[in-house]
């Protein structure tokens, strides 16, 4: 029997939706855009893309998506948040806080690299073994601090967690969709396959 292609939704309120779609399509996923709570019924996993978290948060409020997205994550379905998306997953947000879903046990500090180094790219340190040499592109990125006991730090830069996982939730403070390295998206698809095992 052919394995069904994973169906991955990308929250399409604002931000870097198309680049995520290209990465997912390279990996054979079926991609849909999520703008209504009923869109969540037709997907196996979800990406909250980078962009501007104040704008995305306003959209979530307007569309009534906070509760459905939180329920999606709490039901154990895989979610990846990148940059602003990571901010929206956090238990707490600092530095111009926005309402977050609170499904990832970290504190997100928005725009933590300041205006001097708004954007930069570097190799991650202390990567999990299958992520060796991870190239990280940061754009007005947050920092994550105080990860709780269930949070696994999968990569760091300058000692700070830049990729973390907590069960079905993954978050990166960098933009994996802006490189042709699809390993972060593959992690999401691996979680999706795991979640579908009987
Ligand atoms: N600085 C942005 C915010 O907090 C996030 C930047 C990004 O997603 N590239 O909304």
């Amino acid at each position: 029997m052919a394995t069904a292609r994973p169906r991955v939704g990308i929250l399409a309120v604002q931000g870097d939706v198309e680049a995520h779609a290209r990465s997912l399509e390279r990996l054979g996923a079926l991609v849909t855009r999520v703008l209504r709570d009923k869109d969540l019924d037709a997907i196996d996993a979800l990406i909250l893309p980078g962009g501007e978290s104040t704008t995305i948060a306003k959209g979530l409020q307007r569309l009534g998506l906070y509760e459905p997205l939180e329920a999606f994550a709490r039901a154990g379905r895989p979610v990846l948040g990148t940059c602003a998306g990571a901010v929206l997953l956090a238990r707490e947000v600092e530095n111009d806080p926005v309402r977050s879903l609170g499904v990832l046990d970290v504190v997100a500090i928005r725009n933590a690299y300041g205006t001097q180094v708004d954007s930069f790219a570097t190799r991650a340190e202390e990567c999990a073994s299958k992520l060796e040499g991870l190239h990280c592109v940061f754009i007005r990125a947050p920092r994550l601090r105080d990860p709780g006991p269930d949070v696994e730090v999968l990569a760091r830069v300058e000692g700070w967690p830049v990729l973390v996982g907590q069960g079905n939730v993954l978050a990166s403070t960098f933009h994996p969709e802006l490189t042709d390295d699809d390993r972060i998206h593959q992690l999401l698809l691996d979680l999706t396959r795991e979640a579908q095992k009987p």
Side-chain angles (χ1 to χ4, degrees), residues 92-146:
E92 195 184 323
V93 180
E94 285 182 350
N95 201 14
D96 203 4
V98 289
R99 178 178 168 190
S100 58
L101 298 169
V103 295
L104 177 66
D105 194 6
V106 296
V107 179
I109 314 165
R110 290 182 65 190
N111 302 317
Y113 293 89
T115 49
Q116 222 176 350
V117 237
D118 273 345
S119 305
F120 64 103
T122 189
R123 299 264 168 215
E125 309 136 14
E126 299 177 42
C127 296
S129 58
K130 54 181 172 183
L131 297 171
E132 289 296 323
L134 193 63
H135 192 62
C136 303
V137 177
F138 296 93
I139 304 171
R140 289 176 57 77
R143 280 190 172 124
L144 304 179
R145 68 168 176 78
D146 291 345

Side-chain angles (χ1 to χ4, degrees), residues 14 31 37 45 55 67 75 85 101 105 127 139 165 173 179 181 185 195 198:
Q14 185 265 339
V31 179
D37 60 351
T55 307
E67 288 78 13
L101 298 169
D105 194 6
C127 296
I139 304 171
T173 60
T179 65
D181 180 343
H185 295 84

Side-chain angles (χ1 to χ4, degrees), residues 49-54 82-85 87 110-111 139-142 175:
E52 214 285 312
S53 51
T54 305
T82 61
C83 202
V87 169
R110 290 182 65 190
N111 302 317
I139 304 171
R140 289 176 57 77
H175 285 264

Side-chain angles (χ1 to χ4, degrees), residues 63-87:
L63 297 165
L65 277 174
Y66 270 102
E67 288 78 13
L69 291 182
E70 185 183 340
F72 185 94
R74 294 209 188 277
R77 293 154 89 190
V79 180
L80 165 65
T82 61
C83 202
V87 169

